[in-house]
Every structure is written in C-alpha cells, then in structure tokens.
Amino acid sequence: MNLLVKADQAGKPLVDVTPASAGWTHVGFRAVRLAAQEREVWQQPGRECCVVILAGKASVKVGEQEWTHLGERQSVFDDMAPYAVYAPPGVAVEVTAESNAEVAFCSAPSAGNHPARLITPDSMQRSVRGKEANTRYVTDILPQTAPADCLLVVEVRTPSGHSSSYPPHKHDRDALPEESVLEETYYHRLNPAQGFAFQRVYTDDRRIDQSMAVEDHDVVMVPEGYHPVSVPYGYESYYLNVMAGPKREWCFKNDPAHEWIIAKP
Ligand SMILES: O=C(O)C[C@@H](O)[C@H](O)C(=O)CO
C-alpha cells in the first residue's frame, strides 16, 4: 500500500484519511481550509474527535456547547500552541470559521467515557527535543495524561536542515511497558509552501520500506514501522500527528541501528 496521501490542494477536504481508506482500525484524520463564515460539520458514530484550530479563528459547537473566538495563530509556524476541542462520540461537531482558517479533525474509536471540553493553549506542554540538527519543537495537544478514550494528538515543528521523529522509532508491538501498538498519521506543512521534506517508513525486515517526498498538506500513514522525517535546508516543517491503538499509551522503540545518535555526548 502506498503510504503517502497527496493533498487535494484546492479541495475540501484537503485530505481525508479514514480507517477504511487506510486499511486499519483506529486513526481518522481530516484537514479542511475554511473561508470566513464557512462551516464544516463532523459526526461519526462511535468515534471521539479532537478538533485542532491549526490557523485562523473559529467557533466550535459540540452538541449544545459552544466555544467562540478560538485561535491566535495566523499559521502553524507561529511559535504558539493551538486551541483544540475534545468531542465525545455521538454528537455533531460544527466548526464555523470566523476568519480564513485551517482546521483538523482527528478521530478514533471511543466508548464515550469523557465529556466535551475546550483544550486551551496554556494547558498544553511544549518542549524542545533533541540537539544540534536533531532539535525540534513539540506541543502535546492531547497526550495520554489528558482524558480521552483512544486518541493521542501532538504537533512538531522541525527547523530547516533538521531531522525529527529521529532516531527512527516505532510503536507496533504489544509489549508494554517497552512498546505499544499505535497507528499514526502525519499531516505535513512546509514553510515556504513550495518546500518538501522526506519521510521514510520501514520495518526491521524491510517488508515495508517507503521513502516519500512530502509536500505541503500531504499525509503519511504509518501502520507500523519506523518513521523518521528529514527537512532540507531552506524549509521549515510542521506536522500534526494523530495516534491511536488498542491501548492509549505511547511507548516506542528506537531502531537499535541508529540509537547511538542519542547517546552521543
Ligand atoms: O520526536 C519527534 O520528533 C516527534 C515524534 O515523537 C512523533 O510525534 C511521533 O513519531 C510519535 O510517534
């Protein structure tokens, strides 16, 4: 299966990955660009949703609850965390843009154990990972410490010439506490937009080994295997990761061939 989903640059949605289209069981991801006053409704039975206001301003209605004026970022490359809203299954999620906006709908199966809530930027942990040309900036939007049934959502900015999700790691073996099974999508953005980055997805036995040139708004699906990203000089990368699997724990294993990189003084 081709793991690269090319964006429909003029489309609505820009990209839409469902469990059926991906051939897996958990992660769903849709990204849309909305003009001011435009509305997008998301509703999928048995699935929880984390709406991320990637850029622009929008209001989000979940059933009878509504939050307005969400979003401070002009672009995903602004140095600030986004607004997000968690929605349980069985309710319609309505997003109305208050300015031109870009919005992500991240979803996974859910038994409906958690109520709808606003997730504010100041509640999200932001961290710097790695060093030298492996430095990248991570924002935990919906980490395993925050309530949800299945979903994990995180975003990463990788500077020009740097690598991230590196050294390569995987999470495809049910062997907690060493490793958990999580499907994952990467929604890629590039700055400036004509840029490109590279992502490789490969397994130990190379049954899967795909190296992809990703462009702005493309999605890479990671059903299993290691999944590092490299960004060429001159372009900055952003990606939004959605992860979900049978257990809501992110425990990964580094590729032993490359793990020495993080031990380097
Ligand atoms: O460390 C990074 O650069 C980001 C990754 O952890 C990314 O979120 C991921 O691959 C999660 O499995």
Side-chain angles (χ1 to χ4, degrees):
M1 180 170 199
N2 180 6
L3 300 178
L4 176 62
V5 180
K6 292 300 293 177
D8 177 357
Q9 297 292 346
K12 211 178 144 219
L14 287 155
V15 275
D16 194 13
V17 174
T18 64
S21 72
W24 59 29
T25 43
H26 293 86
V27 170
F29 179 79
R30 183 191 300 173
V32 293
R33 208 168 10 213
L34 300 173
Q37 311 312 324
E38 219 180 332
R39 199 168 69 117
E40 175 80 2
V41 180
W42 186 97
Q43 185 165 25
Q44 289 180 10
R47 294 180 69 77
E48 60 190 358
C49 181
C50 179
V51 179
V52 183
I53 310 300
L54 295 170
K57 222 179 244 313
S59 65
V60 180
K61 198 167 174 221
V62 181
E64 295 309 305
Q65 280 175 280
E66 185 169 18
W67 295 274
T68 57
H69 314 313
L70 304 181
E72 302 291 339
R73 300 200 299 207
Q74 300 302 309
S75 148
V76 293
F77 295 98
D78 291 352
D79 186 15
M80 55 177 90
Y83 279 82
V85 170
Y86 172 82
V91 279
V93 180
E94 284 180 38
V95 177
T96 307
E98 296 176 10
S99 68
N100 289 344
E102 185 181 345
V103 180
F105 297 85
C106 315
S107 69
S110 165
N113 292 314
H114 305 282
R117 69 180 190 280
L118 174 66
I119 308 172
T120 55
D122 60 0
S123 71
M124 298 174 191
Q125 184 171 319
R126 304 179 75 207
S127 55
V128 182
R129 252 182 231 164
K131 58 183 180 190
E132 300 171 13
N134 195 205
T135 306
R136 68 268 193 199
Y137 303 93
V138 180
T139 300
D140 295 319
I141 297 172
L142 187 59
Q144 66 194 50
T145 48
D149 278 342
C150 198
L151 263 180
L152 298 164
V153 183
V154 58
E155 65 177 14
V156 179
R157 277 190 301 124
T158 310
S160 150
H162 285 215
S163 49
S164 59
S165 296
Y166 186 78
H169 69 262
K170 71 178 184 81
H171 32 73
D172 59 16
R173 201 168 54 101
D174 185 10
L176 284 167
E178 283 92 43
E179 192 176 341
S180 55
V181 176
L182 295 168
E183 303 158 356
E184 183 168 15
T185 51
Y186 274 70
Y187 174 59
H188 286 275
R189 297 293 321 276
L190 277 309
N191 183 32
Q194 74 271 27
F196 56 92
F198 296 102
Q199 184 160 26
R200 182 181 179 199
V201 180
Y202 67 99
T203 52
D204 283 316
D205 60 7
R206 304 298 191 266
R207 192 172 31 82
I208 296 176
D209 192 356
Q210 295 187 27
S211 294
M212 291 159 272
V214 300
E215 296 180 292
D216 204 25
H217 302 288
D218 289 349
V219 167
V220 170
M221 304 183 291
V222 185
E224 59 180 307
Y226 306 100
H227 41 275
V229 172
S230 288
V231 184
Y233 173 74
Y235 295 100
E236 186 185 4
S237 135
Y238 165 96
Y239 50 79
L240 179 70
N241 292 135
V242 183
M243 289 179 278
K247 294 179 188 143
R248 190 167 178 255
E249 275 187 67
W250 179 54
C251 290
F252 60 88
K253 176 178 175 267
N254 289 321
D255 185 340
H258 305 296
E259 206 168 27
W260 63 270
I261 290 159
I262 39 176
K264 188 164 109 33

